[in-house]
């Protein structure tokens, strides 16, 4: 076998392993960063620092935009910080994908935002949607809001 070809194969294999190691380290760092962002955001929510929480959740969404729990928490932090346009945007996204399965309060929250902004007819549609679904719910909290 030609020594030149053997060296080329070794170099190619070494590059492959270096790339694989780089990808692994990158995702490990990203994962820790995401975990840290979410931990800080949750802490800010407990401390009622909704602006800071929304900043952390927003950064977390830049790393993992498909995580519905992070989307919900971001929407909640935006709503509590009176950033109603962003909150409504994320509640709408959640409602379209989740369809009241894991995040049943989404239409209610959208209704509250629209009502606050003076869009009463549109708000009523969301309140009605929520009420139709949860007026007979076994969950007392959901049923109370649907009344």
């Amino acid at each position: 076998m030609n020594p030149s070809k053997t060296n080329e194969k070794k170099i190619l294999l070494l590059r492959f392993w270096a790339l694989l190691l780089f990808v692994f380290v990158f995702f490990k760092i990203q994962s820790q960063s995401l975990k840290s962002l979410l931990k800080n955001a949750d802490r800010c929510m407990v401390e009622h620092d909704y602006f800071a929480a929304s900043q952390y959740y927003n950064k977390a969404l830049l790393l993992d935009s498909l995580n519905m729990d992070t989307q919900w928490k971001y929407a909640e932090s935006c709503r509590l910080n009176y950033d109603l346009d962003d909150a409504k945007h994320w509640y709408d996204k959640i409602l379209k994908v989740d369809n009241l399965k894991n995040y049943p309060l989404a239409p209610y929250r959208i209704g509250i935002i629209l009502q606050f902004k003076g869009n009463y007819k549109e708000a009523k549609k969301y309140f009605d949607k929520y009420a139709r679904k949860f007026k007979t719910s076994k969950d007392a909290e959901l049923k109370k809001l649907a009344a």
Side-chain angles (χ1 to χ4, degrees):
M1 189 173 214
N2 187 347
S4 175
K5 292 229 181 216
T6 304
N7 285 339
E8 286 178 21
K9 285 183 179 181
K10 286 181 181 178
I11 291 171
L12 193 59
L13 188 60
L14 186 61
R15 285 183 181 171
F16 169 76
W17 284 111
L19 178 63
L20 190 62
L21 180 64
F22 172 77
V23 168
F24 174 75
V25 169
F26 174 78
F27 282 111
K28 182 74 173 164
I29 290 170
Q30 182 178 358
S31 172
Q32 289 175 341
S33 177
L34 178 61
K35 189 176 181 180
S36 175
L37 289 169
L38 293 173
K39 182 179 176 183
N40 287 329
D42 291 342
R43 179 185 45 79
C44 288
M45 287 295 283
V46 169
E47 295 171 356
H48 305 287
D49 186 354
Y50 305 121
F51 175 77
S54 70
Q55 298 302 305
Y56 283 118
Y57 288 131
N58 186 32
K59 289 177 183 176
L61 283 172
L62 293 174
L63 295 176
D64 183 6
S65 64
L66 300 178
N67 185 309
M68 296 277 290
D69 193 45
T70 305
Q71 291 177 8
W72 178 261
K73 289 178 178 183
Y74 180 57
E76 289 285 273
S77 66
C78 287
R79 177 181 60 85
L80 293 167
N81 192 48
Y82 298 98
D83 185 357
L84 302 180
D85 292 330
D86 274 349
K88 183 182 177 302
H89 167 80
W90 287 97
Y91 289 132
D92 279 331
K93 278 186 83 156
I94 292 164
L95 184 60
K96 286 177 186 168
V97 173
D98 184 62
N99 199 25
L100 304 174
K101 291 179 186 141
N102 298 309
Y103 302 93
L105 288 175
Y108 184 80
R109 295 285 199 245
I110 294 168
I112 292 290
I113 290 169
L114 292 169
Q115 184 181 38
F116 185 82
K117 294 178 95 178
N119 192 343
Y120 302 111
K121 286 183 181 181
E122 191 70 17
K124 185 176 181 335
K125 291 177 188 176
Y126 283 95
F127 288 137
D128 288 346
K129 179 177 184 158
Y130 179 82
R132 277 191 307 274
K133 178 77 175 178
F134 297 107
K135 65 183 173 188
T136 59
S137 176
K138 293 179 181 175
D139 185 315
E141 177 83 18
L142 296 175
K143 188 175 183 175
K144 179 182 174 184
L145 293 174

